[in-house]
């Protein structure tokens, strides 16, 4: 187990415009408790927008996704465009609206969105190599752009997003925040996290479920 490394793909720092800090941190904690090494990655691009986390309003201050993600990773982070997917055994995408703004543009165009080029190259290589993946909170919107039709995911109980993902060929399944959905055929695990969680405790249980099931897929 200790020779396996999991790529954790971040999208900034903050729930409104980057990675949700609780989700990202609890992911790293769960991986460490499972005896897995991890490496944080992020695209070296400008954020799509920057939010004031006190007021929720958009501000004009420019920020860089890689630099902001480094705050969560304590500086131990790599540009996703520079790494070799062969060096990683699995990947996890924490939520936060940055996953829908910076890793893809779902937050801007829900019907015709695309995945950011460097993220797409890395993720498609991981999928082609049949390596397990975890998607948290809003991050499952990436899944239909990476996997064949029929892949099972959870996106909480948001009806609009569910319809969009169904139209793209995914199979959304409702589950509570403390659990996760496992698609063993496509090696995908997802949990709704703060789409449904009412506390950090519920959030932690769901992410622990995701990491536990990811470990099972790695050992299958």
């Amino acid at each position: 187990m200790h020779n396996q490394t999991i790529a954790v793909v971040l999208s900034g720092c903050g729930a409104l415009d980057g990675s949700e800090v609780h989700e990202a941190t609890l992911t790293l904690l769960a991986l460490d408790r499972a005896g897995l090494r991890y490496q944080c990655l992020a695209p070296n691009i400008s954020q799509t927008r920057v939010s004031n986390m006190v007021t929720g309003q958009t501000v004009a201050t420019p920020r860089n996704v890689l630099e902001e993600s480094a705050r969560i990773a304590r500086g131990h982070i790599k540009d996703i465009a520079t790494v070799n997917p062969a060096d990683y055994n699995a990947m996890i995408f924490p939520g936060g609206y940055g996953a829908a703004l910076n890793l893809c543009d779902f937050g801007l165009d829900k019907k015709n969105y695309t995945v950011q080029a460097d993220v797409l190259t890395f993720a498609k290589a991981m999928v082609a190599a049949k390596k397990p993946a975890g998607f948290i909170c809003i991050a499952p919107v990436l899944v239909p752009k990476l996997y064949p039709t029929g892949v099972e995911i959870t996106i909480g109980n948001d009806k609009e997003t569910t319809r969009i993902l169904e139209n793209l060929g995914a199979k959304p399944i409702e589950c509570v925040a403390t659990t996760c959905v496992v698609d063993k055929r496509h090696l995908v695990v997802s949990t709704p996290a703060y789409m449904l969680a009412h506390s950090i405790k519920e959030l932690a249980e769901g992410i622990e479920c995701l990491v536990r099931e990811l470990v099972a897929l790695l050992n299958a």
Side-chain angles (χ1 to χ4, degrees):
M1 187 72 70
H2 290 283
N3 62 352
Q4 295 179 319
T5 303
I6 312 304
V8 179
V9 184
L10 302 178
S11 60
C13 183
L16 297 180
D17 58 11
S19 290
E20 209 295 320
V21 176
H22 295 173
E23 292 176 5
T25 303
L26 288 169
T27 296
L28 304 183
L29 176 61
L31 288 170
D32 194 29
R33 282 178 167 168
L36 288 164
R37 294 182 304 186
Y38 57 80
Q39 173 64 59
C40 292
L41 310 175
N44 187 9
I45 58 174
S46 297
Q47 286 187 195
T48 300
R49 75 177 183 214
V50 177
S51 298
N52 180 322
M53 286 297 297
V54 176
T55 65
Q57 295 180 333
T58 300
V59 297
T61 307
R63 290 183 184 169
N64 177 278
V65 173
L66 180 64
E67 293 173 3
E68 291 302 300
S69 299
R71 296 178 183 276
I72 297 173
R74 294 175 57 84
H76 302 293
I77 195 164
K78 294 183 179 181
D79 179 352
I80 198 169
T82 67
V83 302
N84 184 351
D87 293 336
Y88 303 95
N89 300 91
M91 59 182 176
I92 297 179
F93 292 82
Y97 212 54
L101 288 172
N102 302 322
L103 304 187
C104 71
D105 57 1
F106 177 85
L108 302 177
D109 187 352
K110 293 183 178 180
K111 293 186 178 179
N112 299 297
Y113 68 100
T114 59
V115 179
Q116 194 275 334
D118 298 329
V119 175
L120 181 65
T121 298
F122 177 84
K124 290 290 280 186
M126 296 288 283
V127 174
K130 300 188 184 307
K131 295 181 179 180
F135 297 86
I136 298 168
C137 195
I138 191 64
V141 299
L142 296 163
V143 171
K145 302 294 183 175
L146 304 175
Y147 292 86
T149 58
V151 59
E152 297 179 351
I153 53 174
T154 188
I155 195 71
N157 56 13
D158 184 81
K159 290 182 171 52
E160 180 189 7
T161 306
T162 294
R163 283 195 300 270
I164 292 169
L165 300 188
E166 284 177 335
N167 289 337
L168 291 171
K171 186 179 178 182
I173 296 172
E174 285 192 32
C175 79
V176 298
T178 54
T179 60
C180 58
V181 169
V182 184
D183 184 327
K184 292 184 178 180
R185 184 161 66 99
H186 295 99
L187 306 179
V188 170
V189 189
S190 54
T191 187
Y194 273 134
M195 297 287 281
L196 295 178
H198 297 293
S199 69
I200 196 170
K201 177 179 179 293
E202 290 183 359
L203 179 72
E205 289 181 22
I207 290 174
E208 286 164 4
C209 175
L210 180 141
V211 169
R212 184 168 59 249
E213 295 294 343
L214 195 75
V215 170
L217 292 175
L218 282 167
N219 293 332

